[in-house]
Amino acid sequence: MFSRTKYGMSLISRVFLVGITAFIVFSSIAVATVVAKPLTLTDALARARAAGFVAPAERARLQGAYAAVGQAGVIPNPSIGLDIENFAGSGPYRGVSGPETTLSYSQVIELGGKREARTTVALAELDATRSKGNVRILDLLREVELAWIEVAVASAQRRLAEDRLAISRSLREEIGRRAESGRDPAYAVPRAEAQVGLDEIALEQARSMERIAKASLAGFWRGGPDYTIDQTWLERPASPTERAYNAELALLESEAKVALARVRLELTRSIQDPTIKIGVRHFADTKDAALVAGFSIPLPLFDTNQGNIAKAQADQLAAENDIANSRLTLQREFARYRARLKASSTEARRIEAEVIPQAERAIQLVRDGLQRGAFSFVEFTDAQRIFNDARLRRIEALRTFHSDNAALARLTGRHGRFSERKTRK
């Protein structure tokens, strides 16, 4: 038997309670660690893609396109007819005592490869439907990436506001001590207090903007703003990688294939289809029966489908011209975004390497002089303003870089792994 404590609890119960408590504590730590894991851009794109805002509609469109492929291969329906002859006439054909009845079966025979042409059109439209889906998905992913950039920018601006407030509070204490000792005029204290108030308001605004940006990004997967991101992501303007895939160009090429398939389909429709007919005729007066066969084909005197052929050919020519124009536009867009990326990257790098160190040095020199009485609060505030402006301008340069990089990702299909571009066999 285990001995009991004064509270009536056995040793094994105490060990069990300690174990349960430790399990709960460590589980809470593990959950907190999971929640605190920074959300990456790849995670955000994957969550938005899996949230189901776009995918269900695209799957429905694909199902419809596959159904159209199946329908295109169906042959025309046959016809069944019943003819009644030689009744309600005169003489021996009075009344309905001796009519001749014919039960027939007729079938249209498609010539010129119409069924194959219809199937080709349906398959081309299936590919075009898939290409349109890729365009919509890549548009969604670009919106997610731009929202991600806004979160990163808001986070950087919030950290800058925190730094400014910390410096303002430190300076307020220093100005207060200097005013008490008579080294600074009395008006310097309320001025420092006012600066602290402005920086506190700026920090509240920065935090609010960060929460709004996080909520906007999380809205793409129906989530909440309770997440963190990699704080250094904005500071890493990596060189963009380009892929030889453009969703709009792929869509235009798919539409050109549809136009070409329609030309072939309209050409086959200019070929007249014969109708074969076979039946059984029953003679009421003799009670005999006999087979009846027939053949008919339309005469191409008026409708030879030339108008539809001309329209299909014009659509094909327009599609080819659209592809050529799109290629030229893409070349211009690639060149423009590459130039913009280089400019914004250079600006951010030079501000970090040349301007910010000098601004920091100026602040330190003014602070040292302020302690010796050589400078006033005004000079320090001016030096701090130049430093903050430089940091803000660098953040804006990085925002421009990443926004242009997102546009280039949209043009090149860099996030194509999150879209369904493979043709289902």
Side-chain angles (χ1 to χ4, degrees):
M1 296 291 293
F2 290 94
S3 61
R4 294 183 175 272
T5 63
K6 64 180 179 179
Y7 298 102
M9 182 182 294
S10 66
L11 178 61
I12 188 171
S13 299
R14 296 180 62 187
V15 171
F16 177 74
L17 180 60
V18 171
I20 289 296
T21 304
F23 174 76
I24 294 175
V25 171
F26 283 114
S27 298
S28 302
I29 295 174
V31 170
T33 303
V34 172
V35 173
K37 181 182 178 182
L39 182 73
T40 66
L41 174 59
T42 302
D43 294 336
L45 294 174
R47 287 186 182 185
R49 181 67 181 86
F53 285 103
V54 177
E58 298 310 317
R59 285 195 294 267
R61 291 187 180 96
L62 284 175
Q63 288 174 359
Y66 277 110
V69 172
Q71 180 64 33
V74 177
I75 64 175
N77 288 325
S79 298
I80 296 179
L82 177 64
D83 296 331
I84 303 177
E85 304 177 39
N86 302 328
F87 72 97
S90 61
Y93 302 106
R94 291 176 183 175
V96 293
S97 59
E100 296 179 4
T101 58
T102 304
L103 181 64
S104 62
Y105 174 93
S106 59
Q107 176 69 56
V108 176
I109 306 300
E110 291 186 307
L111 301 179
K114 290 185 177 63
R115 184 169 59 175
E116 293 78 4
R118 288 197 305 269
T119 303
T120 302
V121 170
L123 288 172
E125 290 177 341
L126 170 62
D127 188 56
T129 300
R130 185 176 289 108
S131 296
K132 290 177 183 177
N134 292 334
V135 170
R136 295 187 185 95
I137 291 173
L138 290 176
D139 285 339
L140 169 67
L141 297 179
R142 181 188 179 184
E143 292 179 6
V144 173
E145 187 169 5
L146 291 177
W148 170 271
I149 293 170
E150 291 304 313
V151 173
V153 169
S155 178
Q157 292 174 341
R158 185 258 306 162
R159 294 195 302 272
L160 176 59
E162 290 174 346
D163 294 343
R164 291 175 59 181
L165 179 59
I167 293 174
S168 296
R169 287 173 174 172
S170 175
L171 184 62
R172 178 185 61 184
E173 296 176 358
E174 186 173 344
I175 292 296
R177 289 192 297 268
R178 290 172 59 86
E180 289 178 358
S181 63
R183 290 185 294 172
D184 277 340
Y187 73 85
V189 175
R191 184 169 182 174
E193 289 284 356
Q195 185 62 48
V196 170
L198 288 175
D199 290 338
E200 287 176 345
I201 294 173
L203 178 57
E204 291 178 2
Q205 287 295 107
R207 287 172 175 170
S208 177
M209 295 304 296
E210 185 181 19
R211 287 193 299 269
I212 293 172
K214 284 186 173 181
S216 177
L217 175 60
F220 285 101
W221 58 82
R222 303 182 181 91
D226 51 346
Y227 62 89
T228 60
I229 67 169
D230 184 1
Q231 303 290 342
T232 64
W233 180 86
L234 189 69
E235 309 293 329
R236 301 195 302 267
S239 300
T241 57
E242 298 181 9
R243 297 175 47 179
Y245 173 78
N246 177 260
E248 280 77 13
L249 185 58
L251 175 58
L252 290 176
E253 290 173 346
S254 298
E255 291 176 345
K257 292 178 181 178
V258 173
L260 177 61
R262 288 192 179 279
V263 170
R264 295 171 179 170
L265 176 60
E266 296 302 334
L267 287 172
T268 63
R269 287 175 175 172
S270 66
I271 301 173
Q272 306 302 317
D273 296 329
T275 301
I276 298 176
K277 182 177 181 180
I278 187 170
V280 177
R281 175 167 294 180
H282 178 261
F283 300 92
D285 53 353
T286 62
K287 307 301 182 182
D288 293 326
L291 291 178
V292 179
F295 174 86
S296 65
I297 186 170
L299 296 177
L301 298 179
F302 307 109
D303 183 7
T304 58
N305 206 39
Q306 294 304 308
N308 289 332
I309 293 173
K311 180 181 181 302
Q313 291 173 340
D315 291 341
Q316 180 191 3
L317 180 60
E320 292 174 352
N321 290 331
D322 287 341
I323 292 175
N325 292 333
S326 178
R327 287 197 175 103
L328 292 176
T329 302
L330 284 175
Q331 291 176 1
R332 292 195 303 268
E333 290 295 297
F334 287 153
R336 183 169 70 92
Y337 280 119
R338 281 194 291 265
R340 285 171 58 92
L341 287 171
K342 183 178 180 181
S344 55
S345 176
T346 300
E347 179 183 5
R349 185 173 61 252
R350 291 193 62 184
I351 291 175
E352 181 182 20
E354 301 174 15
V355 180
I356 291 180
Q358 292 296 330
E360 287 179 328
R361 185 170 180 270
I363 290 175
Q364 187 60 43
L365 291 175
V366 172
R367 180 182 286 275
D368 294 342
L370 189 64
Q371 294 176 352
R372 298 193 306 270
F375 297 106
S376 66
F377 174 71
V378 176
E379 283 83 1
F380 181 84
T381 302
D382 187 62
Q384 185 65 37
R385 178 183 58 79
I386 294 175
F387 175 65
N388 292 332
D389 289 345
R391 294 178 66 186
L392 283 174
R393 181 163 178 175
R394 181 172 181 272
I395 291 174
E396 288 302 317
L398 291 172
R399 183 212 294 265
T400 301
F401 175 89
H402 287 292
S403 298
D404 291 339
N405 199 8
L408 193 60
R410 172 63 181 81
L411 289 178
T412 58
R414 191 184 311 151
H415 301 311
R417 64 185 181 277
F418 295 104
S419 62
E420 299 173 357
R421 294 194 288 112
K422 295 183 179 179
T423 303
R424 192 172 73 179
K425 301 297 184 181

